[in-house]
Amino acid sequence: MIRQEEWITLCKQGDPRAYTALYNEHAAAVYNTILRLLEHTGEAEDVLQESFVAAFQGIAGFRQTGGFRAWVKRIAINKSIDLIRKRKLRFVELEPGWVIEEEEHIDEAEFEFTVETVTNAVAGLPEGYRTIVNLYVVENISHAEIAQMRGMEHTTVRTQYHRAKHKIMNLLKDGGYR
């Protein structure tokens, strides 16, 4: 059986079997990442294809350090964010010195929900909140990196994340997603 490193070497040499093998191995995971960000299957499929095309076109510059899947996922996330930007999604920038007000404390320990329940609550968030939650929680991308990717201030990303988390907890607390 050929290892991933060997498939990458064959891709760099232009072997079509290698492109197919890498695509088949990683497409589902990359697609799921895209779909969490875009929530539209047609757009997600388009971004998936564009991401792999970009990855294969740039395969000569790929270094084995982080793994092919992580690399193509990063390409896909960037392409997804570009698409969201094209929709002219606007975040409200906070004024300098703005402080997060103390909100009602929600004891997270008192809740028990299924993955499906939480997933539905996240899906019900506005697109901006949902994007930040998915990038931070699911893709494990730092607030600073998200801010850079989105062209936002770090504090805005952090605030948007906390607001989204609070909104999810309130939705779950109120029983809207049981």
Side-chain angles (χ1 to χ4, degrees), residues 10-37:
L10 290 171
C11 273
K12 289 178 179 182
Q13 297 169 359
D15 186 333
R17 294 175 308 134
Y19 295 125
T20 302
L22 286 174
Y23 180 87
N24 289 340
E25 184 175 341
H26 301 291
V30 174
Y31 176 77
N32 288 331
T33 296
I34 297 166
L35 193 58
R36 279 190 296 274
L37 297 172

Side-chain angles (χ1 to χ4, degrees), residues 65-86:
T65 55
F68 182 79
R69 181 175 293 175
W71 185 60
V72 77
K73 263 189 177 185
R74 180 60 68 153
I75 293 169
I77 288 169
N78 288 334
K79 288 192 174 294
S80 298
I81 288 173
D82 287 345
L83 183 59
I84 291 169
R85 277 191 191 130
K86 286 180 184 173

Side-chain angles (χ1 to χ4, degrees), residues 75-101:
I75 293 169
I77 288 169
N78 288 334
K79 288 192 174 294
S80 298
I81 288 173
D82 287 345
L83 183 59
I84 291 169
R85 277 191 191 130
K86 286 180 184 173
R87 292 182 190 155
K88 300 193 187 299
L89 176 66
R90 301 278 188 232
F91 284 92
V92 176
E93 291 292 330
L94 303 176
E95 297 174 12
W98 190 85
V99 179
I100 299 173
E101 295 178 20

Side-chain angles (χ1 to χ4, degrees), residues 2-143:
I2 297 178
R3 295 185 356 214
Q4 180 171 285
E5 295 81 17
E6 294 168 1
W7 283 125
I8 291 168
T9 300
L10 290 171
C11 273
K12 289 178 179 182
Q13 297 169 359
D15 186 333
R17 294 175 308 134
Y19 295 125
T20 302
L22 286 174
Y23 180 87
N24 289 340
E25 184 175 341
H26 301 291
V30 174
Y31 176 77
N32 288 331
T33 296
I34 297 166
L35 193 58
R36 279 190 296 274
L37 297 172
L38 299 180
E39 285 200 331
H40 184 274
T41 57
E43 288 178 338
E45 290 168 1
D46 289 346
V47 170
L48 176 69
Q49 296 308 315
E50 292 170 15
S51 299
F52 273 92
V53 167
F56 292 142
Q57 286 175 341
I59 196 81
F62 174 70
R63 306 290 174 253
Q64 301 283 348
T65 55
F68 182 79
R69 181 175 293 175
W71 185 60
V72 77
K73 263 189 177 185
R74 180 60 68 153
I75 293 169
I77 288 169
N78 288 334
K79 288 192 174 294
S80 298
I81 288 173
D82 287 345
L83 183 59
I84 291 169
R85 277 191 191 130
K86 286 180 184 173
R87 292 182 190 155
K88 300 193 187 299
L89 176 66
R90 301 278 188 232
F91 284 92
V92 176
E93 291 292 330
L94 303 176
E95 297 174 12
W98 190 85
V99 179
I100 299 173
E101 295 178 20
E102 286 296 320
E103 297 179 1
E104 171 191 352
H105 175 71
I106 298 174
D107 183 7
E108 296 176 28
E110 69 185 57
F111 297 107
E112 288 187 30
F113 297 97
T114 65
V115 170
E116 181 181 8
T117 303
V118 175
T119 301
N120 289 339
V122 171
L125 292 172
E127 185 174 50
Y129 285 174
R130 187 180 65 247
T131 299
I132 289 172
V133 167
N134 280 313
L135 290 173
Y136 183 70
V137 175
V138 179
E139 298 302 327
N140 200 29
I141 297 174
S142 72
H143 289 155

